[in-house]
Amino acid sequence: MPAWAKSAALRAAARLTGSAALCFSALMMSGPATAQTSDLVSQNALRVCADPANYPMSTKEGTGYENKLAELIASKLDLPVQYTWYPQATGFIRNTLKVKRCDIVMGYAQGHELVLNTNHYFSSVYTLIVPQDSPLASVETLTDDALKGARIGIIAGTPPSAHLARHGLIGKAKPYNLVVDRRHENPAINMLDDLKAGDTDAAILWGPLGGPLVKADYPDMKVIPLINEELPPRLFFRITMGVRQGEKVWQRELNSLIRRHQDEINALLVEAGVPLVSDMGNEMLESGQ
C-alpha cells in the first residue's frame, strides 16, 4: 500500500474508538480480505458422513471397506475418525454434509452436483454374478445368447436395466428396490441370496457392492466385470470423496492425500474385493477376486 494511502487509513482509524479502530486499521494495512473456505472443516477429527448399514461399504461396527478407507485417511491427517450416521437414501447429503454435521463422504460418483468432488480414487464397473458351475459362467457380455431366457436379478432403475431391455432380457428379470433404508432392507444381499437359492440364474450388481459381497460371503459365485459393453448407458463410474460445495482448500488437501497414497488405497480396495478398471472402463486393473 502506498505511504499516502496508509497515512489516510491511519487518520481514519484515529477518528474511531476502542477495538473498532484497531480492527479498521488492521484490515486496511493487511489488504483485501481472503475467504477461508475450509473454516467449517473440523480440525479435531475426520468427520465422516456414512450409512450405518451399507455393508460391505460402511457399517456402524466399522467393518466396511469405506470405514477402513476413512481410518487410512484419518491416519495420514493424524486425526481420529468421527461418524455422523444417516441412511444413504433421499436426504442423505441434505441432512449430513450440507448442515455441517460432518465434512466428507468417502465414496461418491464423480460429477454429482450435491457435493464438491475430489479427484477420483478408483474406477469400477457393473458386474454379472453367476454360480461358478453355471452354464453362464463363460458369459462376458450381455449380448451373449446364453442369457436368453435367463432370470436375472437387477436393481431397478440402474444403468444395466437399459441394456437388459435392449437385449430382450428385461421381461424375465427380477427387480429389486434401488432407494431403501438398508437398516431394514439390503437389495444386494437379497439378490445374491436368491441366486444362491436358485430362484434366479444370474445377478447384476455394481462392482464395489457385488465383488466384496461375493469374496466375503458367496465363495461359490463368479464375478464377471461388464467391461465389454459398447452401447450406452455406460456401466463404469469414477468414484471420488465428496465434500461441501465451496470448500476448495479441503478438496485440495484430500486430492494431495489421494495422489500420495494411491497405492495404499488400491491395496485396500483389492483386498476388499472391489474390481478396479481403467478410467475408460474397458480394461481390468485388479479383479479383487
Side-chain angles (χ1 to χ4, degrees):
M1 179 181 288
W4 64 265
K6 291 182 181 179
S7 177
L10 292 173
R11 288 197 301 272
R15 290 193 293 268
L16 300 174
T17 60
S19 61
L22 294 174
C23 291
F24 180 83
S25 178
L27 179 62
M28 293 301 292
M29 294 294 286
S30 63
T34 302
Q36 297 298 312
T37 59
S38 60
D39 283 351
L40 299 177
V41 176
S42 172
Q43 303 301 308
N44 301 315
L46 180 68
R47 302 192 306 165
V48 179
C49 326
D51 189 318
N54 194 18
Y55 178 76
M57 294 179 172
S58 63
T59 70
K60 201 167 186 178
E61 295 73 31
T63 57
Y65 64 83
E66 286 187 353
N67 297 108
K68 295 178 174 63
L69 178 60
E71 293 287 349
L72 174 63
I73 297 301
S75 72
K76 305 305 180 184
L77 296 168
D78 197 24
L79 293 173
V81 178
Q82 177 182 315
Y83 283 101
T84 291
W85 302 110
Y86 197 91
Q88 197 163 16
T90 303
F92 174 70
I93 294 297
R94 183 176 67 250
N95 290 293
T96 58
L97 192 66
K98 196 169 182 179
V99 294
K100 308 173 183 62
R101 296 174 62 192
C102 42
D103 302 315
I104 186 172
V105 180
M106 299 313 302
Y108 223 81
Q110 188 179 64
H112 205 293
E113 294 179 355
L114 289 178
V115 303
L116 178 64
N117 298 106
T118 65
N119 294 339
H120 67 284
Y121 62 93
F122 78 98
S123 299
S124 195
V125 67
Y126 275 88
T127 60
L128 178 70
I129 301 174
V130 299
Q132 288 188 10
D133 59 358
S134 166
L136 302 179
S138 61
V139 168
E140 294 183 351
T141 174
L142 296 177
T143 61
D144 195 313
D145 287 341
L147 292 172
K148 298 296 185 184
R151 192 174 194 205
I152 303 172
I154 183 76
I155 303 293
T158 56
S161 299
H163 290 262
L164 294 189
R166 179 186 295 118
H167 302 312
L169 302 173
I170 200 71
K172 295 191 69 174
K174 181 175 181 179
Y176 296 79
N177 293 328
L178 172 61
V179 181
V180 299
D181 183 338
R182 291 176 182 82
R183 294 172 298 180
H184 307 292
E185 176 184 358
N186 193 313
I189 291 176
N190 293 343
M191 186 188 298
L192 292 180
D193 284 345
D194 287 346
L195 180 59
K196 183 177 181 179
D199 295 335
T200 55
D201 304 304
I204 295 179
L205 276 174
W206 171 230
L209 275 174
L213 282 172
V214 167
K215 185 170 184 176
D217 302 317
Y218 301 87
D220 295 330
M221 301 293 176
K222 180 180 181 181
V223 178
I224 304 168
L226 294 172
I227 61 175
N228 297 314
E229 305 304 315
E230 298 179 352
L231 296 176
R234 65 188 173 103
L235 298 183
F236 70 95
F237 294 89
R238 299 166 187 166
I239 303 303
T240 74
M241 298 174 195
V243 302
R244 266 184 298 280
Q245 291 287 356
E247 293 189 338
K248 299 290 290 183
V249 172
W250 180 218
Q251 179 202 42
R252 287 193 292 270
E253 184 173 1
L254 290 170
N255 285 344
S256 177
L257 282 172
I258 292 168
R259 182 179 64 255
R260 289 183 284 117
H261 303 289
Q262 186 67 65
D263 288 347
E264 291 176 81
I265 293 172
N266 288 352
L268 186 156
L269 295 170
V270 170
E271 176 62 25
V274 177
L276 304 182
V277 302
S278 64
D279 285 351
M280 296 309 296
N282 56 2
E283 181 182 359
M284 289 301 302
L285 301 180
E286 296 278 358
S287 70
Q289 301 299 308

